Amino acid sequence: MRGLLTLAVAVFPVFGQVTYEQLRDPASRPGDWLTYSGNYASYRHSPLRDITAVNASALEIKWIYQARIMEKFQTTPLVADGVMYITTPPNDVAALDAATGVKIWEYRRRIPSKVQTCCGQVNRGLAILGDRLFMATVDAHAVALDRKTGRVLWDVEMADFQLGYSATHAPLVIKDKVLMGVAGGEYGIRGFLDAYDVASGKRAWRFYTVAGPGEAGSESWQGDSWKTGGAPIWITGSYDPELNLTYWGTGNPGPDWNGDVRQGDNLYSASVVALDSDTGRLKWHFQFTPHDVHDWDATQIMMLVDQQVGGRARKTLVTANRNGFYYVLDRATGEFLHASPFVKQTWAKEIDGKTGRPARLPGTLPSAQGTRVYPQVAGGTNWMSPAYNPGTGLFYVAVREGSSLYYQGEALYKPGARYQGGFFNNERVMEDWYGAVRALDPATGALRWEHRLFQPPWAGVLSTAGGVVFAGTEDGYFKALDAMSGREVWHLNLGGRVIASPMSFAVKGVQRVAIAAGSSLFVLGLRSASEPR
Amino acid sequence: MSVPRLCWLMLLPSLLAAQSRDRNPHTSPKDVAEGRRMYALFCVFCHGMDGASGRGARLATTFRRHGTSDLDQYRVIANGVPGTEMSGHFLEEEEIWRILAFVRTLERATPHGACATGPGSVGAGRTSFVERGCLGCHSVGAEGSGRLGPDLNGIGAARTREHLRDSLSDPGRSVAPGYRTVLVTVRNGGGEVRGVLLTQDEYTVHLMDGGERIRSFRREELSGIQFPGGSNMPAYAALAGTEMDSLLSYLCSLQGGALR
């Protein structure tokens, strides 16, 4: 077996193994993109600098991969050794030649017909280690594939999909484990994050995001409400190798809009949890929205930025939360350092300067006749990725302005059925409904520039060392902004909603940018005479 | 039961288990009330309480892409539509039937309810419809080619008499969906262009002007975009009572024809 492996490596040297050390230090493979957010700190920043604010007008499509799908296309591709790996909904995987888009292999997964998901049978991407790919599926399985053939190496059930469990985010590999959690915050699940042994698929640990009896935080749930408490995991976490802590944002408590049946803060919903990556033990947590009743999941990217805060060098965690506030925390201790609104918000009088706890304004709870609150139900931002450029020192985020009408309704739990306790309406509140890409000072949240968008976006942003921020729009445009000023330098109509976050890689050293839009994946690069073929 | 049908059912035991009738056996007012309650639990998130204001398919219409029979709709609700957000549901057979009984009420409850009969002659109404030049902006199925206003074929099935009266005497009060008035100001002395908004996006605005020309503008060409509210239809407030009654009777008689 060993000998065969060595032989394979010798014959196809181009297929090097992706190691944990490389995941830690992606600069060692600058033309690749090895994790969902590009690095463990979740910068979604490419070190490539071919494309600049000056030459971006020469961007053109290099190839297109047409997926035959109707579902929303949310994948962030991975690229390693000249091969691109993507997921297409629900849980198919394709390996494409990164230079041409030609399909090398495809894995097609049969999904049971009654899979329950909040908002579509979507998937956001893969994780990679060695010669394996990892995926979390909408029927709540953890799957490992051989990255040369697409063959299934192991497939384990995380939870029973018939109870409303699903999974949609790209996993995160740390050392010899792959981490992934479950979605289902609209179905009365009890959320958790799992770690599986990459080789065997054996579960190494599980962290429940809803504190149960006997666990710290269980006093924050009334009666048995913890059993259906939600707090799903549906966006990829971050990792600090020095602290050995992995950070995951958790979703809304269940039921979404009727908090009466779950009095208390509902830990650890709408929070970030910092876990020991070896054991899954909780080191600290911070709850952005105690007792959330607006469906404001904290499933936004947790970005790890070392920076000066208040004149002191700090290892911080920063995040723009769905509740409308931008937060800065000390990521070693969880200490609250700062919060300020990054969109219009009408629900919190203030955020306590010491504890970070919001003071809720009266009259902002969902009601039978509907209560109008800013931000909108989808939040000031959502799962679409922000980006951080160490060169400009700016935090870039796609934001959603506007309000929703929040309705409280009956809360009735029925296994495998929706458990939302109300609903919302956006149709009657369209007047101040718009979007923007905003650049914030990462220490203070102060606005540095804004690029306005006609519609609130569902597309994330990518930052590049060439000084460009890429963004997408609801009406199908992909655009490049000057990272210093926010000025638009290029755009193209891709012909379908952009509901994904862009990434960047290189073909024979030449920079490419990839974005899913509509039902296709587009790869773009600069027009040039000396094209690599 | 025919043999092929039997085979088919044996091939799909889950379907057989899930449903045993072709027609909804649960349609009493009590069923509808219980169905409404369950709709508010399991369906409202995507379809809205009115069947029109959600992210899913519009249910406040008789149109059904996946079939209109009870059985068709039962199957969609139970099994979902593959590849879309509409997933199958873990609900009991009875629950699905009751929900469907409520969904059926949405279907009939077109936004304003149907037109009641009233005074006024349909024939005289039709004459005045033609003479007043309504067809300059409207069509009625295959008749007329006015494009600035909506096709009125079927309007009598979709609107109440009161709503139609308001549409004529005070058109700005409730503007038909898709007929928003837009007024753009073109830079460099290009003047103002008024029309019906066709679509707009990040970079462009498209409208149909008074001459039924489709005009497309890049936002950067425009110094202003206004939505004055109101309708592009002139108010017919001064119509004499009998003519108004006849026009309304004519419009009410338009129950939808061959083109639907």
Side-chain angles (χ1 to χ4, degrees):
Chain A
M1 182 67 200
R2 256 271 140 74
L4 209 81
L5 248 172
T6 338
L7 182 75
V9 171
V11 175
F12 307 105
V14 72
F15 255 98
Q17 298 265 325
V18 173
T19 65
Y20 165 65
E21 286 65 35
Q22 292 167 350
L23 297 182
R24 262 186 83 157
D25 178 24
S28 62
R29 300 173 72 131
D32 288 352
W33 188 273
L34 300 176
T35 54
Y36 179 71
S37 294
N39 67 3
Y40 275 147
S42 297
Y43 285 180
R44 202 168 279 267
H45 173 79
S46 165
L48 301 173
R49 28 179 93 247
D50 296 356
I51 302 167
T52 68
V54 173
N55 66 20
S57 56
L59 278 166
E60 65 177 17
I61 295 173
K62 296 298 179 184
W63 56 261
I64 302 173
Y65 177 75
Q66 295 197 12
R68 288 171 294 277
I69 53 171
M70 287 199 279
E71 186 54 271
K72 295 179 293 257
F73 199 6
Q74 303 188 342
T75 199
T76 290
L78 298 182
V79 171
D81 306 312
V83 180
M84 174 183 282
Y85 303 97
I86 62 167
T87 59
T88 61
N91 288 113
D92 297 346
V93 179
L96 311 174
D97 175 54
T100 60
V102 171
K103 184 159 61 188
I104 298 166
W105 57 253
E106 187 171 24
Y107 162 74
R108 295 177 75 92
R109 185 181 180 81
R110 252 201 85 200
I111 302 294
S113 74
K114 285 198 191 179
V115 155
Q116 304 293 315
T117 57
C118 158
C119 311
Q121 294 186 10
V122 295
N123 183 277
R124 306 197 182 87
L126 302 159
I128 191 170
L129 184 76
D131 49 18
R132 293 176 173 217
L133 298 169
F134 305 94
M135 172 169 61
T137 70
V138 291
D139 51 341
H141 281 232
V143 178
L145 303 178
D146 182 310
R147 89 163 153 119
K148 294 171 195 170
T149 62
R151 279 178 211 147
V152 178
L153 300 171
W154 49 259
D155 179 334
V156 301
E157 186 190 69
M158 292 200 277
D160 184 356
F161 78 88
Q162 302 194 55
L163 295 174
Y165 287 87
S166 59
T168 56
H169 69 89
L172 184 70
V173 166
I174 301 177
K175 301 176 197 168
D176 59 351
K177 296 185 182 65
V178 55
L179 277 57
M180 57 186 105
V182 285
E186 280 60 53
Y187 291 88
I189 63 148
R190 182 184 180 204
F192 60 77
L193 179 73
D194 279 352
Y196 296 93
D197 177 56
V198 289
S200 64
K202 197 168 163 293
R203 195 165 92 206
W205 52 256
R206 168 169 293 182
F207 173 77
Y208 278 105
T209 52
V210 177
E215 294 170 10
S218 69
E219 69 289 346
S220 69
W221 294 92
Q222 164 200 9
D224 275 350
S225 61
W226 62 275
K227 289 184 179 165
T228 51
I233 298 279
W234 52 274
I235 200 69
T236 309
S238 306
Y239 177 56
D240 182 329
E242 277 157 28
L243 297 171
N244 194 31
L245 289 179
T246 183
Y247 306 90
W248 294 75
T250 63
N252 62 280
D256 305 49
W257 297 290
N258 184 339
D260 298 352
V261 297
R262 50 169 172 84
Q263 298 295 339
D265 278 359
N266 309 139
L267 291 169
Y268 302 95
S269 68
S271 303
V272 55
V273 291
L275 308 176
D276 180 308
S277 85
D278 298 322
T279 62
R281 221 162 280 139
L282 180 70
K283 175 82 187 292
W284 58 260
H285 80 275
F286 178 83
Q287 191 173 41
F288 302 97
T289 316
H291 189 73
D292 166 56
V293 285
H294 294 102
D295 193 17
W296 290 334
D297 301 65
T299 45
Q300 292 77 51
I301 293 291
M302 301 296 157
M303 202 183 277
L304 313 183
V305 178
D306 293 346
Q307 57 176 339
Q308 296 279 325
V309 180
R312 238 181 91 189
R314 293 269 200 169
K315 280 171 164 285
T316 69
L317 177 153
V318 301
T319 187
N321 191 273
R322 193 158 159 179
N323 72 12
F325 288 88
Y326 173 82
Y327 291 83
V328 185
L329 309 177
D330 182 309
R331 75 172 178 269
T333 62
E335 185 193 344
F336 169 80
L337 300 177
H338 170 83
S340 50
F342 65 95
V343 290
K344 177 173 174 178
Q345 69 83 21
T346 59
W347 68 279
K349 186 158 160 273
E350 60 184 11
I351 304 286
D352 186 284
K354 280 227 161 58
T355 62
R357 196 180 173 88
R360 215 183 269 281
L361 284 165
T364 56
L365 301 181
S367 56
Q369 67 285 356
T371 308
R372 183 181 176 122
V373 176
Y374 294 75
Q376 52 173 283
V377 70
T381 186
N382 206 296
W383 61 267
M384 53 281 203
S385 290
Y388 171 71
N389 182 333
T392 62
L394 293 177
F395 176 88
Y396 305 101
V397 58
V399 307
R400 304 176 59 88
E401 288 284 0
S403 58
S404 294
L405 288 171
Y406 294 85
Y407 293 83
Q408 187 185 27
E410 186 186 1
L412 179 115
Y413 177 73
K414 196 175 148 47
R418 278 182 188 265
Y419 183 52
Q420 296 181 279
F423 61 105
F424 68 93
N425 190 314
N426 292 336
E427 285 223 332
R428 275 172 275 158
V429 290
M430 286 297 188
E431 314 86 65
D432 45 11
W433 188 260
Y434 71 96
V437 177
R438 291 192 175 140
L440 309 182
D441 178 320
T444 64
L447 181 68
R448 287 297 182 72
W449 55 252
E450 157 178 284
H451 174 84
R452 228 173 131 131
L453 303 173
F454 177 61
Q455 295 271 356
W458 279 106
V461 293
L462 164 74
S463 156
T464 68
V468 178
V469 172
F470 287 91
T473 76
E474 274 296 278
D475 33 35
Y477 293 96
F478 191 50
K479 54 169 89 188
L481 310 177
D482 182 330
M484 292 302 292
S485 65
R487 188 175 53 91
E488 182 178 311
V489 291
W490 170 87
H491 73 257
L492 184 66
N493 184 355
L494 298 181
R497 288 174 73 195
V498 189
I499 318 178
S501 300
M503 54 75 80
S504 187
F505 64 101
V507 173
K508 301 207 174 96
V510 179
Q511 187 177 7
R512 295 283 184 261
V513 173
I515 183 73
S519 54
S520 296
L521 182 85
F522 295 83
V523 168
L524 302 114
L526 294 175
R527 198 177 309 125
S528 101
S530 55
E531 268 300 296
R533 291 275 162 204
Chain B
M1 192 176 284
S2 70
V3 172
R5 169 97 194 264
L6 191 69
C7 295
W8 181 69
L9 281 178
M10 284 189 324
L11 283 171
L12 292 166
S14 62
L15 190 65
L16 184 63
Q19 174 281 325
S20 54
R21 293 163 206 260
D22 283 2
R23 303 208 48 198
N24 191 348
H26 298 280
T27 57
S28 74
K30 239 180 101 192
D31 291 322
V32 173
E34 182 57 16
R36 183 181 194 284
R37 176 170 167 251
M38 284 184 292
Y39 181 94
L41 288 167
F42 308 129
C43 320
V44 63
F45 178 64
C46 294
H47 291 290
M49 254 349 267
D50 54 0
S53 56
R55 55 200 282 157
R58 193 183 175 89
L59 301 178
T61 158
T62 50
F63 175 80
R64 290 285 182 272
R65 180 193 296 275
H66 303 287
T68 50
S69 75
D70 284 353
L71 189 56
D72 292 336
Q73 297 197 53
Y74 181 99
R75 284 192 189 135
V76 168
I77 298 168
N79 306 328
V81 180
T84 76
E85 284 201 5
M86 178 70 190
S87 53
H89 288 91
F90 290 111
L91 295 170
E92 311 300 325
E93 177 176 344
E94 275 172 28
E95 292 174 319
I96 294 180
W97 283 131
R98 292 197 169 105
I99 293 172
L100 180 58
F102 170 70
V103 168
R104 288 283 191 197
T105 68
L106 295 175
E107 197 176 291
R108 283 191 295 275
T110 42
H112 306 279
C115 211
T117 49
S121 128
V122 172
R126 192 189 139 70
T127 307
S128 101
F129 186 77
V130 174
E131 283 173 359
R132 292 263 173 197
C134 307
L135 287 169
C137 293
H138 293 282
S139 58
V140 180
E143 188 183 7
S145 61
R147 297 182 175 95
L148 289 170
D151 178 39
L152 296 177
N153 191 26
I155 194 78
R159 303 280 190 259
T160 62
R161 210 175 173 91
E162 291 65 44
H163 175 90
L164 291 176
R165 189 189 302 275
D166 286 349
S167 297
L168 300 189
S169 56
D170 186 7
R173 241 170 71 184
S174 110
V175 175
Y179 291 87
R180 208 169 160 200
T181 302
V182 61
L183 180 68
V184 300
T185 312
V186 184
R187 274 186 207 284
N188 305 323
E192 290 189 335
V193 183
R194 189 190 166 97
V196 174
L197 178 68
L198 298 174
T199 187
Q200 57 172 338
D201 75 0
E202 186 84 11
Y203 298 101
T204 64
V205 178
H206 308 262
L207 57 87
M208 185 182 289
D209 71 13
E212 291 190 353
R213 266 172 311 180
I214 293 176
R215 308 280 301 267
S216 298
F217 301 95
R218 295 191 60 79
R219 286 186 189 274
E220 63 210 26
E221 294 174 72
L222 304 174
S223 61
I225 303 168
Q226 293 166 60
F227 298 97
S231 170
N232 272 322
M233 168 158 145
Y236 293 90
L239 285 183
T242 50
E243 187 180 0
M244 178 60 100
D245 284 340
S246 300
L247 256 178
L248 292 177
S249 290
Y250 168 64
L251 291 173
C252 285
S253 78
L254 301 175
Q255 292 289 321
L259 291 186
R260 291 225 133 190

